[in-house]
Amino acid sequence: MKRNLQLALALVALAGSISRAAPAVQPGAIWKAGVATADLTPTDPVWMGGYAARTRPSDGVAQKVFAKALALEDAKSSLFVIVTLDLVSVPRYLRETIEKRLGAAHGLAPASLLLNASHTHAAPELRLAAERTPYKMPPAMWDRLIAYRAEVEE
């Protein structure tokens, strides 16, 4: 806890020094922002992420899971997008899929995309066996996982 407090104070001090060193914003400079939310809650039982000893899929919804995005455009029309996902992780395939779609649709460079997972263990698993999934799921669950992954990508 003490280390976290020290780190937080150091970041605040750094942010203050950066903001004092930044050039003044020119009068009339406009930034734009947009937000979006998508419900990622599965409609059918799925395997939950982060439960290696689990032997069965989910059996209901206690709390919905979401993807939330913030898109920023500065006065020079530079774009930056932050997406947070209520998932245990962001698998590489998902990062690459989102990068390609945003690049094609909006010209967004991969370096202008920040993806973050909340690392909740109360959300569906998205990793496949090739991505070192530790679960021994029945075949029907693998099929459901693949279908859910496609839903998340949309």
Side-chain angles (χ1 to χ4, degrees), residues 50 88-89 91 125-129 131 133-135 142 145 149:
V88 74
S89 67
E125 176 60 65
L126 292 183
R127 298 169 294 175
L128 289 178
E131 296 160 330
T133 298
Y135 312 105
W142 282 109
L145 173 62
R149 284 172 54 136

Side-chain angles (χ1 to χ4, degrees), residues 6 8 21 25 28 49 58 64 72 82 88 93 98 114 121 126 141:
Q6 290 171 340
V25 175
S58 61
K64 291 184 175 196
L72 300 171
I82 302 168
V88 74
Y93 87 88
I98 293 171
L114 171 68
H121 288 237
L126 292 183
M141 274 295 110

Side-chain angles (χ1 to χ4, degrees), residues 96-143:
E96 292 169 351
T97 299
I98 293 171
E99 277 180 12
K100 287 176 188 169
R101 290 182 72 175
L102 290 176
H106 304 286
L108 187 71
S112 295
L113 175 63
L114 171 68
L115 294 181
N116 176 69
S118 63
H119 194 77
T120 180
H121 288 237
E125 176 60 65
L126 292 183
R127 298 169 294 175
L128 289 178
E131 296 160 330
R132 295 178 293 283
T133 298
Y135 312 105
K136 291 182 172 70
M137 292 183 241
M141 274 295 110
W142 282 109
D143 294 342

Side-chain angles (χ1 to χ4, degrees), residues 14-61:
L14 178 63
S17 66
I18 291 171
S19 66
R20 284 192 298 278
V25 175
Q26 295 189 0
I30 296 175
W31 280 59
K32 298 177 185 175
V35 296
T37 301
D39 186 347
L40 300 180
T41 310
T43 54
D44 298 321
V46 293
W47 220 262
M48 304 298 283
Y51 290 99
R54 194 171 178 113
T55 59
R56 59 186 169 78
S58 61
D59 57 8
V61 175

